[in-house]
């Protein structure tokens, strides 16, 4: 089976840095994805990790440790528009993804 | 990136009626598309995998006779919610992969009265 855990909610201040953690237990592993989802909208792709280490992409970075079943998404220089839900998703097979429940991030002034 | 388009974005229907949602890959061919459902404050749950030219593969607990999926061409998959009931009210999202990346449609919010 698949089990993906991430915090339900987080709050951070504009301009700060926030780290959203994700732990997973899956039968098979073929990559971990992070998506951003604003309320009422479809998810948009943020990052993809398949090997251990840090992937940096502008203000967003994602880290993966396969041995620990652990990933985090790091958001720097937070902006108000970053207020959204952040979904951790694991690909165990070909292209199907299993999503975590999402972390609702609120950025406050 | 690739574009996946869904229609309609919002639909309200009466209980007992059927609703069709379309998912199109606009600039690439998708032999496989995925249909997800998302209830308020919940995660996306995979409902079924739509395969062009063959039957869809449904996840456990998803009624195939209620959620009819047709993938008649390489750019179009449709999901029909038959005899819709209020508990079917949800956000339905399709996705398709292109060069290893998964792209999502805009989503369709179904409200059954």
């Amino acid at each position: 089976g698949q089990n993906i855990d991430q915090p339900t909610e987080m709050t951070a201040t504009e301009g700060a840095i926030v780290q959203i953690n994700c732990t997973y237990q899956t039968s098979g592993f073929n990559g971990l994805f992070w998506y951003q989802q604003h309320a009422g909208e479809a998810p948009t792709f943020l990052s993809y990790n398949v090997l251990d280490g840090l992937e940096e992409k502008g203000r967003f970075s994602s880290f993966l440790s396969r041995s620990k079943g652990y990933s985090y998404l790091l958001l720097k220089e937070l902006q108000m528009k970053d207020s959204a839900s952040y979904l951790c998703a694991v690909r165990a097979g070909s292209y199907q993804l299993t999503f975590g429940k999402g972390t609702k991030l609120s950025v406050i002034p | 990136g690739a574009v996946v388009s869904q229609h309609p974005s919002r639909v309200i229907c009466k209980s007992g009626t059927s609703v069709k949602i379309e998912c199109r890959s606009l600039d690439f061919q998708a032999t496989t598309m995925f249909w997800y459902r998302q209830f308020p404050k919940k995660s996306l749950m995979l409902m079924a995998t739509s395969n062009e030219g063959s039957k869809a593969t449904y996840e456990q607990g998803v009624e195939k006779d209620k959620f009819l999926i047709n993938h008649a061409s390489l750019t179009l998959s449709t999901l029909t919610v038959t005899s819709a009931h209020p508990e079917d009210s949800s956000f339905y999202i399709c996705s398709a992969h292109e060069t290893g990346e998964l792209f999502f449609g805009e989503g369709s919010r179904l409200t059954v009265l």
Side-chain angles (χ1 to χ4, degrees):
Chain A
Q2 324 279 45
N3 188 37
I4 301 173
D5 288 315
Q6 48 182 133
T8 305
E9 295 185 71
M10 297 183 73
T11 301
T13 307
E14 190 177 14
I17 299 173
V18 70
Q19 178 174 313
I20 303 174
N21 296 323
C22 171
T23 58
Y24 63 91
Q25 294 172 311
T26 58
S27 52
F29 179 83
N30 192 21
L32 187 142
F33 296 76
W34 284 95
Y35 287 85
Q36 180 191 62
Q37 186 180 25
H38 285 98
E41 299 180 11
T44 55
F45 171 81
L46 288 179
S47 70
Y48 167 65
N49 295 69
V50 67
L51 299 175
D52 290 351
L54 187 69
E55 293 283 341
E56 298 188 76
K57 203 173 181 182
R59 293 190 300 116
F60 296 80
S61 303
S62 57
F63 171 83
L64 174 68
S65 170
R66 289 172 297 171
S67 62
K68 295 182 179 178
Y70 168 69
S71 173
Y72 67 73
L73 179 69
L74 194 70
L75 292 79
K76 304 175 185 176
E77 301 170 15
L78 279 174
Q79 302 175 10
M80 299 300 290
K81 65 177 182 180
D82 297 330
S83 293
S85 286
Y86 291 85
L87 308 176
C88 172
V90 174
R91 185 166 69 193
S94 300
Y95 293 99
Q96 291 181 3
L97 295 184
T98 300
F99 286 85
K101 293 184 178 180
T103 299
K104 184 178 179 181
L105 174 66
S106 298
V107 180
I108 58 175
Chain B
V3 178
V4 176
S5 178
Q6 255 181 269
H7 179 80
S9 58
R10 293 177 183 273
V11 57
I12 301 173
C13 70
K14 292 183 179 180
S15 185
T17 60
S18 294
V19 174
K20 180 186 285 188
I21 301 170
E22 294 185 347
C23 178
R24 295 181 185 273
S25 55
L26 297 186
D27 51 1
F28 66 101
Q29 294 182 330
T31 55
T32 303
M33 291 185 177
F34 303 96
W35 286 96
Y36 292 86
R37 177 168 54 182
Q38 186 176 34
F39 292 106
K41 298 184 179 181
K42 300 291 185 182
S43 183
L44 280 78
M45 297 298 296
L46 181 65
M47 298 176 65
T49 302
S50 171
N51 304 298
E52 188 268 334
S54 64
K55 292 183 179 180
T57 305
Y58 290 81
E59 295 301 299
Q60 191 173 9
V62 179
E63 300 175 58
K64 62 180 181 180
D65 294 330
K66 181 171 182 61
F67 299 99
L68 300 179
I69 291 173
N70 185 300
H71 194 153
S73 77
L74 288 171
T75 58
L76 174 65
S77 175
T78 60
L79 169 68
T80 301
V81 183
T82 62
S83 187
H85 288 96
E87 57 265 31
D88 298 324
S89 298
S90 186
F91 192 50
Y92 292 86
I93 307 174
C94 72
S95 68
H97 65 81
E98 206 264 334
T99 60
E101 191 173 330
L102 200 64
F103 295 91
F104 288 89
E106 306 95 326
S108 300
R109 182 163 301 284
L110 170 64
T111 303
V112 184
L113 303 176

